[in-house]
Amino acid sequence: MPLETWAAFAAASAVLLIIPGPTILLVVSYALGQGWRTALPMAVGVALGDFTAMTLSMLGIGALLMASATVFTILKWIGAAYLIYLGIKLFRAGGTLRAEPRKTASSAAKMMAHAWLVTALNPKSITFFVAFLPQFIDRHADFWTQMTIFEATFLTLAFINAFGYALVASRARELVRNPRAIGLFNKAGGTLLVGAGIATVAVRSGN
């Protein structure tokens, strides 16, 4: 795998992970209510949930690779359009981060299981991976090697991201509730997503 492909995947993954979604709202809710001790179990649960969703998605993509090159190419176009759609939606999302503190004490195992369920069983997770991953897969290279590298990269970033959100939410609670900060954050993330989708379309057109 070319280093630039891996670097592009890692950069895009980092941008996508840092954008608040259902999983991050759950992480922030626990951190606001129970403090920094939630960071490790929640981060592990998120990583396991992403592992589940990503593995299922990658296996489906592998089946498409073997079935038809045309279908795989169409999926890449759909994925690029999906990234643009997500970017526009995020840009227009405003500055709200609706995460209510969970003050009821929960064990580490319960928090981990909750994070895993929310992440893995969210239908949008698998849909997202099916749209996102084909942008970086080379159908002429070994699929399993690419799958291993992409999963290891994404899960490491997912763990760091969830852990970081939990620590920030527990230590700087006013920041995660600041509409101006969240609004700027959403606009920056949305712009990057739209740019990624347009760049993908440009590459496809050039080919």
Side-chain angles (χ1 to χ4, degrees):
M1 177 188 298
L3 179 60
E4 56 269 24
T5 299
W6 175 84
F9 174 81
S13 297
V15 171
L16 291 164
L17 281 167
I18 205 170
I19 295 168
T23 298
I24 293 304
L25 291 179
L26 181 69
V27 170
V28 171
S29 293
Y30 272 104
L32 288 174
Q34 301 182 45
W36 63 268
R37 76 180 188 88
T38 65
L40 182 59
M42 293 302 290
V44 171
V46 169
L48 290 175
D50 278 325
F51 172 76
T52 303
M54 195 173 186
T55 299
L56 291 174
S57 302
M58 289 288 277
L59 292 176
I61 292 168
L64 285 175
L65 273 172
M66 292 184 289
S68 169
T70 301
V71 171
F72 186 70
T73 300
I74 292 173
L75 185 62
K76 285 194 171 191
W77 280 97
I78 293 174
Y82 185 57
L83 289 178
I84 294 173
Y85 163 76
L86 287 178
I88 294 173
K89 185 177 179 181
L90 180 64
F91 190 89
R92 300 173 62 184
T96 57
L97 185 61
R98 298 179 181 179
E100 295 299 324
R102 292 176 178 268
K103 297 182 179 179
T104 304
S106 301
S107 66
K110 183 176 180 180
M111 287 188 283
M112 190 186 305
H114 196 178
W116 173 74
L117 284 171
V118 169
T119 306
L121 300 185
N122 182 359
K124 291 183 179 180
S125 294
I126 295 179
T127 302
F128 164 73
F129 283 126
V130 170
F132 176 64
L133 291 169
Q135 313 304 319
F136 303 94
I137 292 176
D138 181 357
R139 64 183 310 272
H140 301 294
D142 182 71
F143 174 76
W144 298 107
T145 299
Q146 294 180 86
M147 177 176 174
T148 301
I149 293 172
F150 285 147
E151 286 215 30
T153 300
F154 193 91
L155 297 180
T156 299
L157 292 172
F159 177 90
I160 294 172
N161 183 65
F163 193 87
Y165 257 109
L167 289 182
V168 170
S170 65
R171 301 283 184 176
R173 301 185 179 191
E174 294 306 316
L175 179 62
V176 297
R177 291 178 169 178
N178 187 312
R180 180 176 174 77
I182 298 300
L184 291 173
F185 192 73
N186 286 342
K187 284 180 171 53
T191 301
L192 290 172
L193 280 180
V194 171
I198 292 174
T200 302
V201 170
V203 170
R204 299 286 167 264
S205 300
N207 292 341

